[in-house]
């Protein structure tokens, strides 16, 4: 198992201190996608440029998961009305 770190970035990185172990890079990337889903549902998150950087134990970024990727800011702030 390898250790992966998840940096939440909005200009200033905030690293998950201990890192988490996953059997594959794909599993770590899937975890970042789940983190993004959780952040999307958090009303305290106001930065629509927020992303999670997945960093392997060598320090290389292996994936970048945008929290609001492909979402229009207005659509994510309030439900659409038909």
């Amino acid at each position: 198992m390898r250790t992966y770190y998840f940096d939440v970035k909005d200009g200033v990185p905030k690293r998950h201190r201990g890192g988490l172990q996953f059997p594959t890079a794909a599993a770590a990337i899937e975890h970042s996608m789940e983190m993004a889903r959780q952040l999307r549902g958090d009303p305290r998150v106001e930065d629509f440029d927020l992303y999670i950087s997945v960093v392997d134990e060598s320090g290389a970024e292996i994936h970048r998961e945008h929290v609001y990727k492909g979402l229009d800011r207005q659509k994510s702030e309030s439900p659409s009305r038909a």
Side-chain angles (χ1 to χ4, degrees):
M1 295 254 256
R2 292 181 172 242
T3 302
Y4 295 88
Y5 302 91
F6 301 88
D7 294 350
V8 179
K9 295 188 178 186
D10 58 358
V12 178
K14 298 169 193 129
R15 175 160 289 179
H16 182 270
R17 289 184 181 208
L20 297 173
Q21 291 190 334
F22 291 94
T24 65
I29 291 168
E30 182 60 37
H31 180 73
S32 75
M33 292 175 181
E34 178 58 31
M35 288 176 68
R37 282 190 286 276
Q38 290 176 3
L39 286 171
R40 242 187 324 269
D42 188 335
R44 297 172 295 175
V45 176
E46 297 177 355
D47 185 351
F48 288 86
D49 294 324
L50 190 65
Y51 65 90
I52 300 162
S53 174
V54 182
V55 179
D56 69 12
E57 54 195 13
S58 73
E61 181 181 80
I62 62 164
H63 180 75
R64 187 175 286 192
E65 184 67 28
H66 292 269
V67 172
Y68 291 98
K69 176 176 62 180
L71 296 177
D72 180 344
R73 180 181 207 153
Q74 291 178 344
K75 288 181 185 176
S76 59
E77 286 179 347
S78 62
S80 62
R81 296 182 182 179

